[in-house]
Amino acid sequence: MQYSTQWPLNEWLTQGIDEIRMAHVIETVLMTGYYRKTFPVNVTRPFHQRRIKVTRMVQEMHTFLESNKDFSRVILFSNQYHWSVIKSMDEHYMYYLDSSGVQREKIKSYALYPDESRYQFYRDALYFIEREF
């Protein structure tokens, strides 16, 4: 309901959801009311409007996922095709939940700028999500 007051739902279903609309959904649905009380999570966008090199960004992503075992942590992100959830990383791969059935991808397959690699990270579409146990 909250989403459809801003944008037509059929547009979301047929064209997907961009980072502006995802930010709206997270802020107005996930971070308020019932969901906030029932599923309390902390959501941050650490690379939002921040100039950073992809190697540093990947390092920060890995550190976030591996640190503080008192929290359940994931990273929600979008590439040029769709949204995915990274559940862990090692030095070569990202392991994620993905609607296309892909469960891992090489980190080197990602870049910050078009045509530098197979996939593109969008700094404004990377969400660090954590929930305390």
Side-chain angles (χ1 to χ4, degrees):
M1 179 67 173
Q2 182 69 29
Y3 184 88
S4 64
T5 62
Q6 293 288 331
W7 299 280
L9 189 55
N10 66 328
E11 187 178 301
W12 177 28
L13 296 172
T14 58
Q15 298 174 20
I17 185 169
D18 62 13
E19 52 271 8
I20 293 169
R21 295 173 186 188
M22 181 62 82
H24 176 79
V25 169
I26 288 172
E27 291 168 14
T28 60
V29 177
L30 186 62
M31 301 307 294
T32 61
Y34 171 79
Y35 285 101
R36 182 69 179 164
K37 290 176 188 169
T38 309
F39 307 106
V41 294
N42 184 32
V43 180
T44 59
R45 292 194 306 175
F47 310 116
H48 178 66
Q49 299 181 342
R50 179 175 154 201
R51 296 184 77 47
I52 189 169
K53 293 185 180 207
V54 73
T55 53
R56 177 70 179 158
M57 188 173 74
V58 167
Q59 180 183 34
E60 289 185 28
M61 292 166 62
H62 186 266
T63 299
F64 172 77
L65 291 171
E66 294 301 313
S67 62
N68 199 339
K69 296 301 180 182
D70 292 334
F71 291 86
S72 176
R73 292 180 170 184
V74 295
I75 298 172
L76 173 66
F77 79 103
S78 177
N79 60 31
Q80 67 269 39
Y81 303 111
H82 63 281
W83 291 87
S84 298
V85 176
I86 303 170
K87 57 184 182 176
S88 64
M89 296 172 73
D90 62 28
E91 62 186 69
H92 301 288
Y93 291 96
M94 294 184 305
Y95 300 91
Y96 49 84
L97 307 170
D98 187 283
S99 61
S100 69
V102 176
Q103 296 181 359
R104 75 176 187 172
E105 188 63 59
K106 287 185 178 181
I107 293 170
K108 289 186 179 192
S109 296
Y110 282 85
L112 283 170
Y113 302 102
D115 303 321
E116 284 186 354
S117 197
R118 183 175 176 192
Y119 301 109
Q120 183 179 355
F121 277 128
Y122 297 105
R123 287 187 300 267
D124 288 343
L126 275 149
Y127 291 88
F128 284 18
I129 304 171
E130 65 183 347
R131 182 173 184 194
E132 193 170 358
F133 287 123

